[in-house]
């Protein structure tokens, strides 16, 4: 199975910026190719909701609440997905989870989702 490791979360003031990164890796010696990578977020007591996802070929989907403020990008050669978050507001406070689906590790294809452990983003003065 693929392992997803996030970085870049932290505490930021309203109006500030953060850049999240998530790198996917498979078993040693196995190639990894992922159709869909992106980010979901979950605040305490609430459901986990989509933030942004991007396919391997470049299609994107953003939550309406982050359009114009967040930008998702991918480096397929590095199996890494990024989320540039600008103009942050307190409502963005949540645990952000890296997401991957349609993963091929070596010759094995897994259509189901894989999740990172989550990284905390807190927007507060």
């Amino acid at each position: 199975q693929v392992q997803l490791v996030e970085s870049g979360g932290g505490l930021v003031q309203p109006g500030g910026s953060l850049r999240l990164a998530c790198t996917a890796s498979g078993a040693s010696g196995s190639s990894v190719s992922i159709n869909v990578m992106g980010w979901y977020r979950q605040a305490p007591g609430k459901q986990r909701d989509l933030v942004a996802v991007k396919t391997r070929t470049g299609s994107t989907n953003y939550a309406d609440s982050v359009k114009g403020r967040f930008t998702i990008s991918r480096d397929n050669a590095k199996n890494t997905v990024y989320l540039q978050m600008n103009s942050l507001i307190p409502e963005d406070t949540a645990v952000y989870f890296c997401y991957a689906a349609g993963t091929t590790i070596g010759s094995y294809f897994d259509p189901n989702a894989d999740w990172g452990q989550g990284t905390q983003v807190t927007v507060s003065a």
Side-chain angles (χ1 to χ4, degrees), residues 74-96:
R74 288 180 61 163
D75 185 336
N76 291 335
K78 297 179 179 179
N79 289 313
T80 299
V81 62
Y82 305 91
L83 186 68
Q84 179 66 47
M85 304 186 292
N86 298 326
S87 302
L88 285 161
I89 59 177
E91 289 78 10
D92 296 320
T93 297
V95 177
Y96 285 68

Side-chain angles (χ1 to χ4, degrees), residues 52-69:
V53 294
K54 189 170 188 175
T55 70
R56 185 174 180 84
T57 53
S59 297
T60 59
N61 187 27
Y62 292 90
D64 289 340
S65 59
V66 307
K67 287 180 180 178
R69 300 189 297 120

Side-chain angles (χ1 to χ4, degrees), residues 3-124:
Q3 300 293 122
L4 304 176
V5 180
E6 303 111 326
S7 64
L11 175 65
V12 66
Q13 296 184 36
S17 297
L18 286 172
R19 185 172 184 256
L20 306 183
C22 172
T23 298
S25 61
S28 179
S30 298
S31 63
V32 176
S33 180
I34 304 171
N35 183 29
V36 182
M37 294 189 74
W39 301 89
Y40 285 66
R41 66 186 181 186
Q42 186 171 23
K46 297 185 178 180
Q47 66 181 2
R48 187 177 299 183
D49 292 326
L50 179 144
V51 178
V53 294
K54 189 170 188 175
T55 70
R56 185 174 180 84
T57 53
S59 297
T60 59
N61 187 27
Y62 292 90
D64 289 340
S65 59
V66 307
K67 287 180 180 178
R69 300 189 297 120
F70 292 8
T71 302
I72 188 169
S73 60
R74 288 180 61 163
D75 185 336
N76 291 335
K78 297 179 179 179
N79 289 313
T80 299
V81 62
Y82 305 91
L83 186 68
Q84 179 66 47
M85 304 186 292
N86 298 326
S87 302
L88 285 161
I89 59 177
E91 289 78 10
D92 296 320
T93 297
V95 177
Y96 285 68
F97 294 92
C98 185
Y99 166 90
T103 301
T104 300
I105 305 174
S107 62
Y108 175 73
F109 175 72
D110 182 2
N112 300 123
D114 291 291
W115 298 93
Q117 81 283 358
T119 185
Q120 178 71 47
V121 172
T122 302
V123 184
S124 176

